[in-house]
Amino acid sequence: MPLVLALAAILFLLVGAPAKALQPLTDVERAELRPAIAAHGCTGGKIEVEKEKYRVEGAKCGDGRRYVLEFNAGFVLTNKELE
């Protein structure tokens, strides 16, 4: 029985939860994304890239609050949520 549980645990670790496919942000993407963020009255934040979508966590916007911003591959804002 302990062997079965151990094998089940290993199997879960191997295929259980899919990992996020985060990619590094290129200089070209950064050059396009910064003005897109600023166009919505926001600055800063941590940028993540996942399958041609961009997520900016902790962007400080004109109202003084921090938001999570999401942009599509064309750098168009698709979502803005209060953090």
Side-chain angles (χ1 to χ4, degrees):
M1 184 68 151
L3 179 61
V4 172
L5 292 176
L7 290 174
I10 291 170
L11 182 61
F12 176 78
L13 290 175
L14 293 175
V15 297
K20 284 188 176 181
L22 295 180
Q23 305 163 359
L25 184 69
T26 67
D27 291 337
V28 172
E29 290 169 324
R30 186 182 323 279
E32 292 285 338
L33 197 52
R34 287 293 176 196
I37 295 168
H40 295 281
C42 305
T43 60
K46 179 183 174 195
I47 301 171
E48 296 179 345
V49 182
E50 185 177 347
K51 295 183 182 178
E52 297 183 22
K53 292 189 332 187
Y54 306 93
R55 180 179 172 93
V56 183
E57 295 182 0
K60 187 172 182 182
C61 296
D63 62 3
R65 298 191 286 179
R66 295 200 178 268
Y67 290 85
V68 175
L69 308 175
E70 294 179 356
F71 294 86
N72 66 14
F75 304 101
V76 175
L77 184 70
T78 58
N79 193 31
K80 180 178 180 180
E81 292 182 23
L82 189 59
E83 198 171 55

